[in-house]
Amino acid sequence: MARSYIDKTYTKSYVPESPRFFKTSSKNAQEAHEAIRPTDTYVSLDTVESSMSPKHARLYELIWRRFVACQMASAVYDQTSITVEANEGSNQYALKSAGSVLKFDGWMKLFPNQGDVVLPDVKEGEGVDLEKVDSVKKMTLPPARYNDASLIKTLEKLGIGRPSTYATIISVILDRGYVERKEKAFMATVIGETVVDFLVKYFPKELDYQFTAEMEDSLDAVARGERQWRTVIRAFFDPFEAQVKQVTKDAERAKVPVEETGEMCPDCKEGKLVIRSGRFGKFISCSRFPECKYTAKIIVKVDGMKCPDCGIGDVVIKKTKRGRNFFGCSRYPECTFASWKKPGEKEE
Ligand SMILES: [Zn+2]
Ligand SMILES: [Zn+2]
């Protein structure tokens, strides 16, 4: 159906010689759920736009476009590169430039991209004049922090997790406060770092990527009926159980590092105020805990923003019991303003 659609809509030259088939990357892949592949190629965007919500239409477009494009002919480029030999005293430089001109768009008909890079017409051996030198200082950037997509990609590469478990993995590390989301990136918290250090120290085998990948392979083999689950689980669990008992007996309780605030404790006037991380997030406490039991909530004000309800209090960031951030009024409980969205931001 895709081939006939492409032929009719974009002409024969956009239909590849034979349909494209794709190998799955995992032998257990359950293939696309029927709801995430177009059942009728002829139901195009224009058809759906009027009959569903914009979000649904956008999702349909994404699926439809990818699917149809994957059955279209390849794009063809003319690629050229020019290498200029530059000599300065005894220093020799090779300066390179690459150009590419789209000759035939093929599947890119559905994913139009940024324009061509056209290089000037030069002949081999021809001299070129130096107009100016721009020197640019570049730094090597550290690897980017993980976000949902890049974390899943890495897990996939390591053979850890399955499509059905990725969402759970991410919600566990967030719910337990091992990572926090800043913008879209995950930042490890001190709790997360402490937990990982502890586990790597006492459970090096289980914390090894290879171990998890192999474990999941074995479980997949069980799912396919190729191995007995008791054998697989026993091989893992017997030594693991013994290890847990040993660690429980021997290991020292890991301490989560505290952050200094530089302020004195208002209660005992001896200790210093520190920020501790607990099960329900961060809070202020006295460095002399447990002798001094002073605690206080951390108040994070949103700069220069007054409460939209009472107009007197400041807008502050608070956390629900499950650790989700929300905006509230500093005058709570007198004022009960609360919102998921920052005041002034549009609701989606
Ligand atoms: Zn104190
Ligand atoms: Zn208020």
Side-chain angles (χ1 to χ4, degrees):
M1 196 191 286
R3 291 169 70 78
S4 90
Y5 174 86
I6 295 161
D7 189 0
K8 275 188 199 135
T9 321
Y10 307 110
T11 72
K12 192 141 214 75
S13 53
Y14 286 86
V15 184
E17 260 173 47
S18 53
R20 292 182 204 278
F21 289 95
F22 295 88
K23 273 207 195 98
T24 51
S25 52
S26 152
K27 44 186 183 285
N28 300 289
Q30 295 170 333
E31 302 300 319
H33 186 283
E34 291 312 316
I36 56 167
R37 64 166 65 131
T39 49
D40 184 347
T41 322
Y42 285 87
V43 179
S44 67
L45 253 205
D46 313 335
T47 331
V48 299
E49 249 168 1
S50 54
S51 54
M52 50 177 83
S53 78
K55 274 188 181 172
H56 287 121
R58 241 158 56 206
L59 178 61
Y60 182 79
E61 174 185 8
L62 183 82
I63 295 162
W64 181 90
R65 216 178 264 279
R66 287 267 163 211
F67 172 69
V68 175
C70 90
Q71 293 304 324
M72 288 173 78
S74 303
V76 179
Y77 284 93
D78 267 354
Q79 287 189 308
T80 45
S81 66
I82 299 176
T83 311
V84 177
E85 253 178 50
N87 301 309
E88 189 212 29
S90 60
N91 294 327
Q92 281 202 340
Y93 302 96
L95 309 173
K96 256 192 151 179
S97 190
S100 82
V101 175
L102 189 64
K103 282 285 158 184
F104 172 67
D105 54 0
W107 66 274
M108 292 179 84
K109 192 108 197 149
L110 287 173
F111 288 89
N113 90 339
Q114 59 291 354
D116 297 336
V117 180
V118 184
L119 292 186
D121 200 13
V122 291
K123 298 206 168 43
E124 200 177 336
E126 194 181 316
V128 288
D129 296 328
L130 172 68
E131 263 178 32
K132 62 175 173 140
V133 174
D134 287 331
S135 61
V136 180
K137 185 176 178 180
K138 291 210 171 161
M139 302 270 200
T140 311
L141 293 172
R145 286 185 183 278
Y146 285 118
N147 56 34
D148 292 69
S150 65
L151 181 62
I152 290 171
K153 209 171 159 191
T154 306
L155 289 171
E156 221 171 13
K157 213 160 81 192
L158 293 167
I160 298 172
R162 298 291 177 260
S164 56
T165 57
Y166 293 135
T168 323
I169 290 174
I170 288 172
S171 73
V172 165
I173 57 173
L174 281 168
D175 287 352
R176 298 203 184 151
Y178 298 159
V179 294
E180 276 171 357
R181 235 190 248 282
K182 295 245 165 78
E183 305 290 315
K184 293 214 162 138
F186 294 126
M187 313 268 283
T189 61
V190 283
I191 301 180
E193 283 172 0
T194 310
V195 168
V196 169
D197 287 347
F198 182 90
L199 291 176
V200 168
K201 186 170 169 196
Y202 293 106
F203 297 92
K205 195 185 95 195
E206 288 78 6
L207 264 282
D208 189 73
Y209 298 136
Q210 195 59 36
F211 170 84
T212 311
E214 281 168 15
M215 187 71 206
E216 297 205 19
D217 271 348
S218 305
L219 294 175
D220 289 340
V222 171
R224 292 193 302 268
E226 294 161 15
R227 291 188 66 182
Q228 289 289 320
W229 74 265
R230 278 172 210 277
T231 328
V232 169
I233 295 300
R234 180 162 298 130
F236 157 71
F237 194 74
D238 288 351
F240 180 68
E241 193 189 22
Q243 174 84 346
V244 170
K245 275 196 185 130
Q246 193 65 36
V247 170
T248 316
K249 211 174 90 207
D250 298 346
E252 240 181 82
R253 212 183 154 79
K255 281 206 184 79
V256 179
V258 297
E259 287 169 48
E260 310 278 340
T261 63
E263 283 169 53
M264 293 301 283
C265 171
D267 258 19
C268 67
K269 303 198 166 58
E270 263 179 69
K272 287 200 178 114
L273 291 186
V274 294
I275 297 172
R276 294 185 200 274
S277 306
R279 283 188 62 190
F280 301 114
K282 292 182 175 179
F283 61 97
I284 293 172
S285 146
C286 178
S287 60
R288 286 181 59 243
F289 181 84
E291 287 100 78
C292 171
K293 301 239 172 354
Y294 176 82
T295 61
K297 277 189 187 167
I298 295 179
I299 295 164
V300 187
K301 274 191 208 170
V302 178
D303 270 347
M305 198 174 268
K306 289 283 168 202
C307 169
D309 277 11
C310 65
I312 305 166
D314 295 304
V315 174
V316 293
I317 298 172
K318 298 178 163 187
K319 261 191 196 340
T320 63
K321 275 203 182 127
R322 293 209 57 222
R324 187 172 169 194
N325 283 343
F326 70 97
F327 297 91
C329 177
S330 60
R331 287 181 58 240
Y332 182 85
E334 289 107 86
C335 172
T336 55
F337 163 76
S339 159
W340 291 122
K341 295 265 160 205
K342 202 175 189 170
E345 260 177 27
K346 265 190 273 162
E347 295 280 333
E348 272 220 34

